[in-house]
Amino acid sequence: MKQDFKSTEKRLSILTDSERKIIYSLPNFTNLERRHYFDLEKIEEDIVHNKLNGLNSKLYFILQLGYFKCSSRFFKFSFDEVVEDIEYILGKFFPKQSFNFNTIKQHCDRKTIFNHQSTILKLFSKRFPTKNDKEDLFKKAKSIVYIDANPKYIFKEIVRFTSEHNIILPAYSTIQKLISKAIIVSEQELFISLENLMDDDLTQNLKNLFKKESKFRYQLTLIKAPLQSFSKKQATTERKT
């Protein structure tokens, strides 16, 4: 019988906490990483100095840009969460400007952040996933299920797919739902295919295998592989099964 995905939807535990943190958490740079990721190309410097207004906007753009270079993702953050990164950027690009964390607005408005992100996406020829992209991701996940239904393997292939197609990796919860749906739908299709292939006699024979002959024995027990040996350990293992 066909299952309703909405009624069976569950959040798969795909990544460990540490794995999820590496992929989805705001980067925590070392001094060496700051020098690398907050280094600006000529075109990036032109954007900062000629197209952005105000220190807030310029700082937030450089921060978003550096984090994006590191992870190909955007993050929500306030200035007091990234004090060391800001101090580095101020020292390198705005040494003569003052910045008071106690009085400054802690983040930019939504419109400014959106404009920053749009500019960064154009710089790297990437895009947020569209509805069609998400459908393609589902099809990709579904095709992988027939090769390996391990959710972590499917997740890795989705990451590979998004990278190859210049798509921003969707949120973890979105991928959890996508993989869950792919596994459930694939199982449904497999069962339907098996039902279509089996005639009435085969169906009845399979049912008979699961009929109990006694309290502890099924017909299926009779076709189990023979014992590898007659050792006490093997006999004990067999008795438990």
Side-chain angles (χ1 to χ4, degrees), residues 73 121 126-135 137 162 166-171 174:
R73 288 184 54 77
L121 290 174
K126 289 184 177 290
R127 68 179 186 275
F128 288 116
T130 63
K131 183 179 179 180
N132 288 337
D133 290 329
K134 290 178 180 178
E135 290 175 357
L137 285 173
T162 56
N166 294 324
I167 302 169
I168 300 298
L169 185 67
T174 300

Side-chain angles (χ1 to χ4, degrees), residues 14-60:
I14 303 171
L15 304 177
T16 64
D17 289 342
S18 59
E19 289 170 334
R20 184 177 175 180
K21 184 177 180 180
I22 290 171
I23 296 174
Y24 286 99
S25 292
L26 184 70
N28 183 17
F29 289 154
T30 63
N31 287 330
L32 182 61
E33 288 170 333
R34 288 188 187 98
R35 287 197 293 271
H36 175 70
Y37 291 114
F38 293 135
D39 183 44
L40 299 181
E41 300 289 338
K42 180 63 169 61
I43 187 173
E44 297 164 353
E45 280 195 83
D46 289 341
I47 291 171
V48 170
H49 296 299
N50 301 321
K51 295 186 178 181
L52 302 179
N53 297 316
L55 183 58
N56 265 30
S57 179
K58 293 177 181 182
L59 281 174
Y60 211 92

